[in-house]
Amino acid sequence: MIEIGAQVDLSHPPDRVWLALTDLELLGRWFVEAETVQGVPDRLLLHTAGLPGFDTDTEVEVIERIAPELLALRCDEAGRLTELTCAVTATREGSRLAVREVTTHGAWSAEQHEPREQQLRQALTVRLPAILDWLAFQQVDLRRGEVGMTTELPLIAVDGGAARTRRRRRTLVAVAAGAVLVAGTAAWIALPTGSDPAAAPAPTGTPSASVTVAEPTAAPSATPSSRPSRTASSATARPSRTPSAKPSRTPSATPSPPPRVVVAARYATDSSRLFGYTGEIVVDNPGGAPTNWAVVVTLAEGTTVDDVDDATWRQDGRTVTFTGPAVSAGGSQTFRFDVRDSRPKAREPESCTIDGKPCAGL
């Protein structure tokens, strides 16, 4: 007996995965085109001829079906017989799909085994997650229900090797556009009438230093004395004409700020898949002190960021700004971001800049 198998964790519920396994149109999108055998229930013809590891088309018969947990098939490929089992298990993040195929009559050649297993793994880890994401968007219901206008939208699967297994899938709760419109209308109604932003008082400037001069004051009249002073030229003392001291007008010297450390960034596409890709940006600090950074990426039309690792981000239209902790002198900071593309062929960002300078590699 020869066996091949593969397993994949998905951020989708078992019911959606089951639909991708049993709906012929969906099956043809992520694995291979299939058609029913006329007059024979539970029999299909898979058009596998020409795929790596396959010689001809494969006839398939359903021998066990427990929705949405188990689908068992008996396969006949030009006299070579196998049994294919698809087991779906619910997990906290979504579900796990395990596929196992064993030979019951005949065997694959050494040249067939590896490409056949590779074809299966690619279908499960790349094409199936993409079609499930697409299917999730098709199932979005924006009709107003009793519990409001929200729906769960799944995120793109991560495909980047063992180093990326730490990345978790998360579920994004998206509020429907109608709710946003209602909130915006309420805010507009709440604005006070007759308010004019242009009429707001201008900020009060810092008053300039004023110089105060003492007003001359009359001295009291001289009191007659039996022995008048010989130094007095007049019976009345003259007022002092010496003004009070003027404050200094010379501003204190302001120390000049230290020169800003120049950082650089490099972009690369970490992985591509149907309806999306994963981008990677490395921020380098060749300077002599730690410094903060901000990378601005302009996405292609119809693309959005779904998930980001090792950076803080915000998206405004097609512009996405990434920030993160200061990069130490002579060090670097790497972050990755998943992009969902509305077209089957993924498109890289239109531009990438750091502190106004273009990123290398794009």
Side-chain angles (χ1 to χ4, degrees):
M1 179 181 68
I2 302 177
E3 176 181 339
I4 64 173
Q7 179 176 291
V8 61
D9 288 320
L10 303 162
S11 64
H12 296 270
D15 288 343
R16 186 173 296 143
V17 178
W18 179 263
L19 183 60
L21 290 172
T22 56
D23 185 278
L24 295 187
E25 182 178 355
L26 296 176
L27 184 65
R29 288 175 177 260
W30 68 270
F31 181 57
V32 68
E33 292 185 1
E35 59 179 310
T36 58
V37 177
Q38 188 174 4
V40 184
D42 286 338
R43 288 186 70 90
L44 303 172
L45 179 63
L46 304 181
H47 295 284
T48 54
L51 291 180
F54 292 85
D55 291 333
T56 63
D57 290 344
T58 305
E59 292 187 12
V60 174
E61 179 183 6
V62 179
I63 57 177
E64 188 174 7
R65 185 205 319 260
I66 305 176
E69 302 172 0
L70 179 66
L71 181 64
L73 309 170
R74 182 181 293 113
C75 307
D76 183 353
E77 183 189 351
R80 183 190 299 112
L81 304 182
T82 63
E83 287 189 3
L84 180 67
T85 304
C86 304
V88 183
T89 307
T91 64
R92 184 167 56 183
E93 291 79 12
S95 59
R96 176 177 295 120
L97 172 61
V99 179
R100 176 174 175 266
E101 185 177 17
V102 297
T103 58
T104 57
H105 180 75
W108 300 299
S109 65
E111 293 77 14
Q112 287 180 306
H113 187 276
E114 184 175 352
R116 189 183 186 102
E117 189 169 29
Q118 185 177 2
Q119 174 74 15
L120 177 61
R121 291 183 184 277
Q122 185 180 19
L124 292 182
T125 61
V126 179
R127 295 195 296 270
L128 176 59
I131 199 63
L132 288 173
D133 292 337
W134 174 84
L135 179 59
F137 277 108
Q138 301 302 309
Q139 293 174 336
V140 172
D141 186 4
L142 296 181
R143 295 173 297 178
R144 182 180 297 276
E146 296 180 358
V147 295
M149 299 178 64
T150 62
T151 182
E152 292 186 355
L153 302 181
L155 302 180
I156 282 284
V158 177
D159 178 23
R164 306 294 303 284
T165 56
R166 63 184 177 85
R167 306 179 65 187
R168 299 285 185 178
R169 288 170 158 265
R170 296 183 286 274
T171 303
L172 173 66
V173 179
V175 180
V180 177
L181 179 61
V182 172
T185 304
W188 176 77
I189 294 175
L191 288 176
T193 58
S195 61
D196 185 2
T204 305
T206 303
S208 59
S210 60
V211 179
T212 303
V213 180
E215 292 290 338
T217 57
S221 60
T223 304
S225 175
S226 58
R227 298 179 64 181
S229 172
R230 296 180 180 180
T231 59
S233 59
S234 172
T236 304
R238 293 182 181 181
S240 172
R241 299 180 179 272
T242 305
S244 60
K246 297 182 180 181
S248 172
R249 297 178 180 270
T250 304
S252 59
T254 302
S256 59
R260 181 157 169 38
V261 178
V262 179
V263 291
R266 294 170 283 140
Y267 171 83
T269 299
D270 185 61
S271 63
S272 298
R273 57 188 174 274
L274 190 65
F275 299 112
Y277 63 92
T278 298
E280 178 182 272
I281 293 180
V282 180
V283 179
D284 296 313
N285 177 15
T291 183
N292 296 322
W293 54 271
V295 174
V296 179
V297 172
T298 302
L299 300 175
E301 186 72 35
T303 61
T304 57
V305 170
D306 275 341
D307 193 15
V308 177
D309 278 350
D310 303 321
T312 302
W313 64 287
R314 70 178 185 273
Q315 182 166 353
D316 183 11
R318 293 192 293 137
T319 302
V320 187
T321 303
F322 301 93
T323 56
V327 182
S328 60
S332 63
Q333 170 72 28
T334 301
F335 66 91
R336 297 179 179 87
F337 55 97
D338 287 332
V339 176
R340 184 191 299 276
D341 199 333
S342 60
R343 300 182 184 180
K345 185 177 180 181
R347 295 163 293 169
E348 291 184 341
E350 291 185 356
S351 66
C352 170
T353 61
I354 180 168
D355 292 343
K357 302 185 303 294
C359 304
L362 187 61

